[in-house]
Amino acid sequence: MIKNETATAEQNLPYIAGITLIATLGGLLFGYDTAVISGAEKSVQQYLITSQGLSTWVHGATISSALIGCIIGGAISGLFASGIGRKKTLILAAMLFFLSALGSGYPEFLFFNKGEPTMGLLYMFNFYRIIGGIGVGLASAVCPVYIGEIAPANLRGRLVSLNQFAIIFGMLVVYFVNWGIANGQPIEWINEVGWRRMFLSEAIPAGLFGILLFFVPESPRYLSMASRDSEALKILTKVNGPSRASLILAEIKNTVEHHSGRLFSYGKTVIVIGILLSVFQQFVGINVALYYAPRIFESMGAGKDASMLQTVVMGIINVIFTVVAIMTVDRWGRKPLLMVGSVGMAIGMFAIAGLSYFEVIGISTLVFIILYTASFMMSWGPICWVLISEIFPNKIRGQAVAVAVAAQWAANYFISSTYPSMMEFSGAFTYGFYGVMSVLSLLFVWKMVPETKNKSLEEMEALWTGEAALARHKAAPIAAKTKV
């Protein structure tokens, strides 16, 4: 067994950084695609929904249609990542982002007349948004896996955390892009032309991502599983140096050759942990805070302009505390950050629930929302992706990550779609529910999640190999009795 890695002079840091930055463009597009609708939403409603006399339910379904694609993309990511490789799957995601940007911006292409909204055009717009969602689902699953499989153990936490930073940064970029397109323009121009340019703008980073991916290597873990050991050794040597590359490859080969690759061949616990990490990341309510932030502030008494300003403040907090996670994840470890984050989120949400119950509105509300958001961004935001990229054994990583990411997008859809009706019932109950989920997430991490700091992916695998062997040992006497 290889000892825990420490930084060495042999590690090719510029090469590792270059690969990581290109891969994190997938995270940036993840954030860009999910947030671009915010600036175009009212114009899309005017052009495709209101003009045809359709209901608010159709409006909501259209605005959230990309989430359907995200669930599909997450669910099929394992099939593609294990079948054609991590790199080609990311190239596929880039192509889907590109097509979605062009199609969403000009859904009339080939089949419809511009300026004539019809149900067919509405279906086509949703089709292009779902295509983009599939790209998001693929990228959200494969980008962290790819970075985690390339990165040395001593750098893996902060490098995978960069993907979360890219997601937040992508959201921030598109807010400014949308603002730049709409600034100073009459509402008629925005409703006719501006919203199209917002969607089309995504084609630029999507095209850049697709081109740059041709210059990065395939994951050495995937290459080893595909019996392309010489290629895997070449990449490992370039990343880790010649003295370690052959040892790392030997460990990879050992994990690949001695297991069937069936999803539960390492026991159920690792799969359950992956799913619960994903579900808790959403059930603590973060996407409610992100998607509905202006509405939350307005409902608590802030004017429209003030609520938008407070949303910008939250965006800055998101970036700052994601950087905190990047700087500390490989020093403090994953578990301490997650547990501290859960405590901070619980305090923030229970305080907001109490303020909502007593109808107390003021600066204190903003303070506790910032506490909650900062706690999430320094913990569950990036660290969940780090753990999902590293806890699964090599042979099942593609399909296991697909299950976890699909669960995450399904949980995202559930929490986001139930928020308005929960708030209609009771604001105190709604925020109290997210506080309870934060407490449960703390207990889950404390009891079930292993620490992975400075462990190679192959060392992590030993945890689950032991569990699977124990399960087989317990089952053996039962099988013997059955035969008798």
Side-chain angles (χ1 to χ4, degrees):
M1 185 67 67
I2 298 174
K3 294 180 180 179
N4 292 343
E5 291 185 43
T6 55
T8 69
E10 289 188 334
Q11 288 178 356
N12 191 340
L13 296 181
Y15 181 66
I16 297 168
I19 293 172
T20 302
L21 289 175
I22 292 172
T24 55
L25 279 175
L28 183 143
L29 283 160
F30 171 172
Y32 201 109
D33 192 87
T34 53
V36 68
I37 192 69
S38 64
E41 176 249 333
K42 289 184 179 179
S43 297
V44 170
Q45 181 184 17
Q46 181 68 31
Y47 181 53
L48 291 173
I49 310 298
T50 305
S51 63
Q52 300 187 72
L54 300 175
S55 67
T56 54
W57 183 89
V58 176
H59 175 221
T62 297
I63 299 308
S64 60
S65 60
L67 282 176
I68 297 172
C70 293
I71 297 171
I72 296 170
I76 65 175
S77 63
L79 179 66
F80 283 94
S82 299
I84 65 175
R86 283 53 161 155
K87 176 178 173 177
K88 289 180 180 177
T89 302
L90 290 177
I91 292 174
L92 174 61
M95 292 170 60
L96 293 174
F97 283 128
F98 191 79
L99 289 173
S100 175
L102 298 182
S104 300
Y106 194 74
E108 296 91 347
F109 179 69
L110 290 181
F111 304 110
F112 303 94
N113 296 322
K114 187 176 179 181
E116 297 180 10
T118 63
M119 285 302 297
L121 184 61
L122 177 63
Y123 293 144
M124 190 57 67
F125 175 81
N126 279 293
F127 171 74
Y128 286 122
R129 288 295 293 154
I130 289 171
I131 283 179
I134 294 173
V136 171
L138 291 174
S140 66
V142 180
C143 284
V145 168
Y146 176 78
I147 297 170
E149 291 184 340
I150 288 282
N154 63 294
L155 301 174
R156 190 173 60 242
R158 71 191 77 172
L159 292 181
V160 176
S161 296
L162 280 172
N163 192 63
Q164 174 69 17
F165 178 85
I167 294 169
I168 299 299
F169 186 69
M171 291 180 175
L172 209 56
V173 166
V174 78
Y175 290 148
F176 281 104
V177 169
N178 286 350
W179 176 81
I181 290 171
N183 186 39
Q185 300 290 346
I187 189 65
E188 293 79 14
W189 181 89
I190 296 172
N191 286 341
E192 183 178 345
V193 178
W195 69 270
R196 298 175 183 275
R197 293 187 179 179
M198 293 175 189
F199 285 115
L200 288 169
S201 67
E202 187 180 349
I204 297 172
L208 181 64
F209 182 46
I211 292 169
L212 291 177
L213 281 171
F214 285 97
F215 298 94
V216 302
E218 179 54 89
S219 156
R221 266 80 183 184
Y222 169 77
L223 291 172
S224 181
M225 288 189 290
S227 300
R228 295 159 61 183
D229 292 344
S230 60
E231 296 174 64
L233 182 61
K234 183 178 178 181
I235 296 163
L236 288 169
T237 300
K238 198 165 184 179
V239 170
N240 299 281
S243 66
R244 295 187 53 79
S246 57
L247 295 174
I248 296 172
L249 180 60
E251 278 213 339
I252 296 172
K253 291 292 294 178
N254 181 60
T255 62
V256 168
E257 290 173 353
H258 290 85
H259 294 281
S260 66
R262 292 190 301 272
L263 184 61
F264 293 105
S265 59
Y266 292 84
K268 296 178 181 178
T269 301
V270 63
I271 306 300
V272 171
I273 289 175
I275 291 172
L276 288 179
L277 279 168
S278 294
V279 170
F280 274 122
Q281 192 202 43
Q282 299 303 315
F283 270 46
V284 295
I286 185 60
N287 278 322
V288 167
L290 294 178
Y291 295 163
Y292 294 98
R295 185 180 297 187
I296 290 172
F297 290 126
E298 284 182 41
S299 70
M300 291 183 169
K304 186 174 181 181
D305 291 339
S307 71
M308 291 303 294
L309 176 61
Q310 290 169 345
T311 305
V312 171
V313 171
M314 284 182 60
I316 296 170
I317 294 295
N318 292 348
V319 171
I320 292 172
F321 281 88
T322 301
V323 172
V324 170
I326 293 169
M327 300 302 294
T328 58
V329 62
D330 285 318
R331 289 208 309 268
W332 297 356
R334 285 60 158 157
K335 286 190 72 164
L337 282 175
L338 287 178
M339 293 173 72
V340 168
S342 292
V343 170
M345 290 188 298
I347 293 171
M349 275 301 178
F350 283 133
I352 295 167
L355 292 170
S356 179
Y357 181 79
F358 291 106
E359 297 183 353
V360 176
I361 299 169
I363 190 67
S364 57
T365 306
L366 177 61
V367 168
F368 284 114
I369 287 181
I370 289 175
L371 170 63
Y372 165 81
T373 307
S375 299
F376 179 89
M377 290 300 167
M378 66 166 284
S379 60
W380 281 86
I383 308 306
C384 176
W385 292 111
V386 172
L387 283 167
I388 286 174
S389 74
E390 64 188 4
I391 64 169
F392 298 118
N394 288 325
K395 201 73 178 278
I396 66 168
R397 184 171 295 118
Q399 54 186 317
V401 168
V403 170
V405 171
Q408 185 172 105
W409 283 111
N412 181 336
Y413 184 80
F414 175 79
I415 289 296
S416 300
S417 62
T418 56
Y419 172 75
S421 57
M422 288 176 67
M423 282 296 293
E424 191 174 321
F425 173 73
S426 168
F429 169 81
T430 302
Y431 300 121
F433 172 80
Y434 302 141
V436 170
M437 290 298 107
S438 299
V439 172
L440 291 178
S441 73
L442 170 65
L443 297 174
F444 160 67
V445 172
W446 177 39
K447 290 291 187 180
M448 294 188 68
V449 177
E451 180 55 73
T452 59
K453 181 182 72 170
N454 284 337
K455 288 183 170 66
S456 72
L457 297 178
E458 289 67 43
E459 285 177 305
M460 277 297 306
E461 188 160 323
L463 289 173
W464 319 119
T465 303
E467 181 198 325
L470 180 62
R472 287 194 296 270
H473 176 73
K474 289 180 177 179
I478 299 173
K481 289 179 181 179
T482 304
K483 288 181 181 179
V484 173

